[in-house]
Amino acid sequence: MINLRGLQFEECISEQKLLQAIDRVAAQINTDFAGKEPLFIVVLNGAFKFATELLSRFEGTCEIEFLKLSSYDGTASTGGVITHIPLDVDLEDREVIVVEDIVDSGNTLEKITDMLVSGGVSKFRIASLFFKPGSYTKEYKIHYVGLEIPNDFIVGYGLDYNGLGRNLNAIYKLKTTKMTNLVLFGPPGAGKGTQASFLKEKYNLVHISTGDVFRYNIKNATDLGTLAKSYIDKGQLVPDSVTIDMLSAEVDKTPDANGFIFDGFPRTTAQAEALDALLDNKGTKVAAMIALEVDDEILVKRLLERGKTSGRKDDADESVIRNRIKVYYDETAILKNYYQKQDKYYGVDGVGAIDEITERLSAVIDGL
Ligand code: IMP
Ligand code: MG
């Protein structure tokens, strides 16, 4: 396992397998270009290592030129392709072999193809050490492929993550830890707190209640708590970035957790996206949004009942209760939609005995 800028990568393709793949590609090129004098165009930065091995196996005479392009930012393609070092060679009537590290979306390949065609080459072939058929969106033929790989983000053997990892002699893939991260929703009175505490025990999850996290940070005057308080004191909403930083710190406290139950967050699409980004940075993701569903009239009855014994003022007034329920549905409608689109929304009947409801929730979690 290696760590690059806080992300974990595990070895998935050995150096030996890479060299065998390069042997195969080199043999094909030696056959196809026997007696020719091709021009190899090496696409920097990623292809340097592949190019060195490939060219050391090339049996004829050839020219070698370099082109530097980029289309990646971190672990995500930016879509656009930028030329950092242009080609400095006459392409007219040349036979060209492009040496690429990896073809992913094919955006880079499209740019190179345009360049070669407009340069007037007589023939060109593409040699790529890796090809991700699952994310390829173009039609161009890739003549020589070292290895077809799944859609994982990889580093090593020339490929980088934010500039690091190119020197590694094997290929490593981003480790996605199998965590069960749940976003738990339920209208006031649905029994969310009760169920969260059962699920936490049963699945060994860490319950992150946003309200508790806020209170803890403010009470202990942490930097983020003090910052949050400065907004609250002015009667302003605490910016998402502050809340997310607090949650991130909370998540970091138990890096070995089996997963987290997020309670009271996200409340908006922007927050849901921020949560996705936070978890993505830690190599994990939201597994499900689970919403406890309880009929309004039952909620009102439950809360009024609770108000009689708990003395909580917001549980004593029916119109206040109804408004809290309405606010809940207004807020969650957007999030339900957000998670539904990703097939992650699960509505669970929240009426019945406590253990029955726990059973229903468990059935959802066990099926994830
Ligand atoms: P494309 O333009 O989407 O085909 O991407 C090609 C370029 O994206 C490659 O030359 C790499 O620089 C980069 N890239 C694509 N997938 C990966 C990966 O899994 N790891 C590191 N870089 C990658
Ligand atoms: Mg490349």
Side-chain angles (χ1 to χ4, degrees):
M1 193 92 71
I2 53 162
N3 185 303
L4 301 175
R5 303 199 196 279
L7 292 191
Q8 300 287 332
F9 292 85
E10 55 192 346
E11 187 177 319
C12 63
I13 307 172
S14 67
E15 181 174 22
Q16 191 198 2
K17 255 194 109 178
L18 294 171
L19 293 174
Q20 285 166 356
I22 299 173
D23 283 341
R24 287 194 296 272
V25 171
Q28 291 166 13
I29 292 178
N30 278 324
T31 307
D32 294 352
F33 286 82
K36 309 265 177 60
E37 200 167 86
L39 164 66
F40 283 91
I41 296 180
V42 179
V43 187
L44 296 175
N45 291 335
F48 77 95
K49 223 165 152 63
F50 173 43
T52 309
E53 292 298 333
L54 180 67
L55 288 160
S56 70
R57 289 164 176 71
F58 184 63
E59 288 159 359
T61 47
C62 63
E63 269 180 76
I64 305 171
E65 282 291 336
F66 299 90
L67 167 69
K68 177 165 167 161
L69 301 175
S70 74
S71 65
Y72 250 64
D73 181 17
T75 60
S77 175
T78 56
V81 180
I82 302 164
T83 306
H84 299 284
I85 302 176
L87 262 185
D88 180 25
V89 64
D90 185 8
L91 295 171
E92 189 79 34
D93 291 330
R94 296 304 308 266
E95 291 198 10
V96 170
I97 301 163
V98 175
V99 183
E100 257 287 25
D101 50 357
I102 185 165
V103 177
D104 185 14
S105 68
N107 290 335
T108 309
L109 190 56
E110 178 168 59
K111 173 122 179 171
I112 294 170
T113 304
D114 289 349
M115 207 178 286
L116 298 178
V117 171
S118 63
V121 299
S122 68
K123 168 179 169 177
F124 69 90
R125 292 283 178 264
I126 309 294
S128 185
L129 180 54
F130 300 105
F131 176 45
K132 290 183 185 169
S135 48
Y136 194 49
T137 59
K138 309 288 179 197
E139 302 283 323
Y140 308 104
K141 185 172 160 56
I142 306 159
H143 309 82
Y144 311 109
V145 173
L147 295 165
E148 285 197 0
I149 58 167
N151 253 348
D152 304 312
F153 183 78
I154 56 169
V155 294
Y157 220 81
L159 294 158
D160 72 309
Y161 165 59
N162 276 346
L164 297 183
R166 296 192 197 275
N167 57 312
L168 298 165
N169 289 323
I171 290 291
Y172 296 76
K173 76 170 184 204
L174 187 60
K175 190 169 179 283
T176 43
T177 29
K178 175 92 185 75
M179 292 214 293
T180 308
N181 299 310
L182 307 173
V183 171
L184 189 60
F185 270 91
K192 206 165 43 125
T194 310
Q195 292 301 333
S197 64
F198 281 114
L199 295 179
K200 181 175 116 172
E201 287 301 318
K202 181 162 180 190
Y203 293 97
N204 195 17
L205 304 175
V206 176
H207 181 198
I208 299 189
S209 152
T210 315
D212 290 347
V213 173
F214 261 98
R215 281 185 287 274
Y216 169 86
N217 277 279
I218 291 173
K219 184 162 164 259
N220 291 285
T222 64
D223 288 349
L224 287 166
T226 309
L227 184 58
K229 192 170 179 295
S230 71
Y231 289 98
I232 295 167
D233 288 348
K234 281 181 272 177
Q236 293 169 357
L237 281 176
V238 178
D240 285 351
S241 60
V242 177
T243 310
I244 271 288
D245 286 350
M246 270 192 215
L247 293 181
S248 183
E250 204 58 33
V251 167
D252 284 341
K253 283 184 190 167
T254 43
D256 297 329
N258 282 348
F260 297 91
I261 302 175
F262 294 96
D263 174 355
F265 192 91
R267 285 264 159 84
T268 62
T269 307
Q271 290 182 352
E273 284 166 356
L275 181 63
D276 283 349
L278 181 157
L279 294 176
D280 192 43
N281 260 320
K282 301 185 193 300
T284 182
K285 55 184 189 301
V286 170
M289 168 187 176
I290 304 183
L292 283 170
E293 294 169 343
V294 181
D295 186 78
D296 286 5
E297 297 315 311
I298 297 177
L299 292 174
V300 174
K301 244 177 78 186
R302 275 193 197 169
L303 289 170
L304 285 173
E305 220 30 66
R306 188 167 88 180
K308 279 188 206 152
T309 49
S310 74
R312 266 179 70 163
K313 272 211 221 88
D314 56 350
D315 282 351
D317 181 330
E318 184 167 334
S319 68
V320 172
I321 291 174
R322 286 194 188 276
N323 190 52
R324 276 163 60 207
I325 296 172
K326 183 182 173 301
V327 169
Y328 168 81
Y329 283 110
D330 288 348
E331 274 181 356
T332 44
I334 309 156
L335 291 161
K336 180 174 172 179
N337 187 22
Y338 180 85
Y339 288 109
Q340 230 159 15
K341 272 195 212 145
Q342 303 175 39
D343 257 342
K344 289 183 182 171
Y345 176 83
Y346 298 86
V348 169
D349 181 4
V351 183
I354 290 176
D355 57 347
E356 270 170 26
I357 300 166
T358 311
E359 278 307 309
R360 290 177 203 145
L361 291 166
S362 302
V364 170
I365 298 170
D366 294 339
L368 291 175

